[in-house]
Amino acid sequence: MLLACLNRLEATIEAETEALLARRAVDHAAVNHLKSQSLLELSRLSRGLDPAGLDAVAAIHLARLRDKLARNQEVVAMHLRAVEEIGETVAAAERAAESDGTYAPRVGL
């Protein structure tokens, strides 16, 4: 069960990362729901689990998941920075379009 849970979470993370890198549309609500479900399942499965007692296969899956989560974090952060920059550009354009020039600095005075 643990490996199945790790595989589902890994697939979700990988799909989101690849979609963001390919600039494809991402249903963020659906992805966040899947991640939340997987993390809840993982936390329930790991409650009584002794980390020292994990077999090599589970340890490999966890290490791979950790790497994919780190990459996903980088890509999501990059995506958020891009969204913020676009928002700032749109806001500046709206302010410029709404301005009648009354308070703009005068050049040549």
Side-chain angles (χ1 to χ4, degrees):
M1 269 177 80
L2 177 63
L3 292 180
C5 174
L6 292 173
N7 286 333
R8 280 191 298 277
L9 181 55
E10 185 178 338
T12 301
I13 297 298
E14 192 170 357
E16 179 187 36
T17 302
E18 289 176 3
L20 289 172
L21 288 172
R23 294 179 179 91
R24 291 192 312 261
V26 176
D27 183 350
H28 294 288
V31 170
N32 286 336
H33 179 73
L34 288 171
K35 285 195 279 188
S36 294
Q37 280 185 321
S38 293
L39 290 172
L40 176 62
E41 182 182 9
L42 182 60
S43 68
R44 287 179 177 166
L45 288 171
S46 63
R47 277 191 187 139
L49 196 62
D50 178 19
L54 287 177
D55 62 0
V57 174
I60 289 169
H61 278 273
L62 285 169
R64 192 172 60 210
L65 177 61
R66 182 185 61 237
D67 293 343
K68 289 188 181 197
L69 283 167
R71 178 67 178 142
N72 179 263
Q73 183 179 8
E74 292 171 4
V75 172
V76 168
M78 179 179 61
H79 181 75
L80 288 174
R81 282 192 305 274
V83 168
E84 288 172 354
E85 287 179 21
I86 290 168
E88 290 169 3
T89 302
V90 169
E94 286 179 352
R95 283 191 302 273
E98 291 174 356
S99 173
D100 64 0
T102 302
Y103 300 104
R106 294 188 179 179
V107 179
L109 289 180

